[in-house]
Amino acid sequence: MLLLTIETSCDETAAAIVRDGRTVLSSVVSTQIATHAEYGGVVPEIASRKHLETISLVVQETLKSAGMEFTDIEGVAVTQGPGLAGALLVGIATAKAIAWACRVPLVGVNHIESHLLAPFLEGPVEFPFLALAVSGGHTHLYQVDGIGRYRTLGQTLDDAAGEAFDKVAKLVGLPYPGGVAIDRLAAKGDPAAVPLPRPLLHDGGFNFSFSGLKTAVLNRLQKHPDDREGTALENLCASFQAAVCDVLVCKTAAALESTGLRRLVVAGGVACNSRLRSEMNSLSSRMGVELHIPSPSLCADNAAMLGVAGDYYLVNGVTSGFELDALPVWPLDAISERLDIRGV
Ligand code: KG4
Ligand code: ZN
């Protein structure tokens, strides 16, 4: 099946053409980062307007670079949630219009589900696996038994890992999105230079907490204002990044041990982080676990990643009607219902 996929859940306007849920024929991502950077974070109203301005061009560009016409499309998959309501609605309205005009089926896909399945675009992955979803809005550990079969093992009780990166970056005066800037400075710093807490490292089951770590950075800055510059800033970034990675890696190791799962997927924007990637690689060698972390372009928000679940659902007759609406909050555990109803 040749699928057109559309993603507008946050500040990236993206469209892709994916064949049979595995082969990306084209993928176009138009980022709004420069616009939101002025405000230090994503402004939802501006995000919606930017999506509106850009979506038609992005869809046309992805068709053109795949050498296709609208008439070649056999299905449309769109991010239905979670995400910013107004931003999601732009993608959904576009997807509905194209599906209606082309007389092809339409399906709404969960954004986090798309992140978790992105590794399938780069090679075969077998079920079941443990998945760590780390993005601006999520820090969740899931057991994944198949497409549409997700069980939450743990999640953040406050800030998501990406949110913590972005908030700490703001505290030290780095531009949005903070994760990228902190990663770059951390490469030159000493991760042991600033003592910072590892919240819930050995408590709270598989749950995470990052807001206390952010407060610890704030307290440090009040006592050491010079940490906002030069080598001291590099050391602070490296120490903060190490604290986040330690918690993510330790909880992931505990979940692997407890579930006995032998495969691990790490996905979402924070999976671009260089220290997290290298620590997860070490963990996988140490525990003899098969690791799948998508290439950075497939970790950050994109539309190609929708192709995996989108194809699976449409091929199995799971479609969304034109009443499809945005789901700003949509936990992954709720997804299995849509499959069970249809007996997949
Ligand atoms: O998945 P994503 O692109 O969007 C959401 O679905 O949220 O994730 C965005 C998050 C942002 O918080 C950003 O700061 C973080 O991913 N991020 C990083 C890195 N690149 C992006 N965090 C740490 N290190 C990075 N290299
Ligand atoms: Zn995302």
Side-chain angles (χ1 to χ4, degrees):
M1 179 176 257
L2 263 187
L3 213 59
L4 168 69
T5 57
I6 295 175
E7 148 68 29
T8 61
S9 67
C10 190
D11 58 347
E12 254 84 41
T13 316
I17 304 285
V18 183
R19 176 182 286 139
D20 298 333
R22 292 294 182 275
T23 312
V24 182
L25 301 185
S26 68
S27 176
V28 175
V29 180
S30 167
T31 183
Q32 306 175 357
I33 282 176
T35 307
H36 297 291
E38 273 180 54
Y39 304 93
V42 178
V43 183
E45 178 56 31
I46 296 179
S48 313
R49 267 188 273 147
K50 281 272 155 197
H51 285 309
L52 259 180
E53 280 169 30
T54 321
I55 188 71
S56 298
L57 293 171
V58 168
V59 168
Q60 281 164 34
E61 185 59 35
T62 206
L63 281 168
K64 194 171 142 206
S65 77
M68 310 239 157
E69 312 267 339
F70 276 110
T71 47
D72 295 315
I73 298 168
E74 293 169 298
V76 181
V78 62
T79 303
Q80 187 175 0
L84 303 170
L88 289 164
L89 284 171
V90 176
I92 290 172
T94 308
K96 283 183 188 174
I98 295 171
W100 184 82
C102 298
R103 303 280 187 267
V104 295
L106 167 73
V107 67
V109 176
N110 184 292
H111 181 68
I112 298 304
E113 175 176 37
S114 302
H115 272 304
L116 300 189
L117 300 176
F120 287 78
L121 299 172
E122 296 188 312
V125 184
E126 279 176 45
F127 297 105
F129 57 79
L130 179 78
L132 173 69
V134 265
S135 68
H138 282 73
T139 302
H140 281 56
L141 274 166
Y142 299 101
Q143 172 157 343
V144 181
D145 292 316
I147 297 182
R149 316 251 170 227
Y150 313 102
R151 193 157 60 86
T152 304
L153 303 176
Q155 58 187 289
T156 181
L157 303 176
D158 39 58
D159 292 350
E163 194 180 351
F165 268 99
D166 296 341
K167 285 179 174 170
V168 164
K170 211 169 182 177
L171 289 177
V172 296
L174 291 170
Y176 174 84
V180 184
I182 289 182
D183 194 355
R184 207 172 34 239
L185 287 174
K188 294 180 255 168
D190 172 6
V194 181
L196 290 172
R198 268 74 176 149
L200 294 188
L201 192 62
H202 300 296
D203 313 295
F206 302 125
N207 292 327
F208 303 87
S209 166
F210 292 107
S211 75
L213 178 56
K214 175 196 63 196
T215 308
V217 172
L218 180 63
N219 292 340
R220 166 84 195 182
L221 287 167
Q222 274 159 0
K223 284 196 205 119
H224 302 265
D226 292 348
D227 276 5
R228 287 190 177 81
E229 280 164 46
T231 312
L233 175 58
E234 290 164 2
N235 287 341
L236 182 62
C237 288
S239 303
F240 166 75
Q241 180 174 275
V244 174
C245 291
D246 279 359
V247 178
L248 293 174
V249 171
C250 182
K251 294 270 172 179
T252 302
L256 284 167
E257 219 149 78
S258 149
T259 57
L261 292 166
R262 309 304 304 152
R263 291 175 211 95
L264 170 65
V265 163
V266 183
V270 182
C272 294
N273 185 265
S274 48
R275 186 179 177 102
L276 186 63
R277 295 176 83 88
S278 103
E279 288 202 359
M280 285 296 182
N281 265 301
S282 311
L283 174 79
S284 118
S285 318
R286 210 164 55 237
M287 294 188 74
V289 166
E290 190 181 299
L291 174 66
H292 300 271
I293 309 187
S295 309
S297 63
L298 284 173
C299 286
D301 284 349
N302 66 90
M305 65 184 185
L306 274 88
V308 184
D311 181 88
Y312 179 83
Y313 290 135
L314 290 179
V315 163
N316 285 289
V318 178
T319 57
S320 307
F322 286 110
E323 69 280 6
L324 167 67
D325 202 359
L327 292 175
V329 178
W330 186 10
L332 267 194
D333 298 64
I335 286 186
S336 32
E337 290 160 27
R338 74 192 306 189
L339 295 173
D340 289 341
I341 290 164
R342 294 163 175 89
V344 174

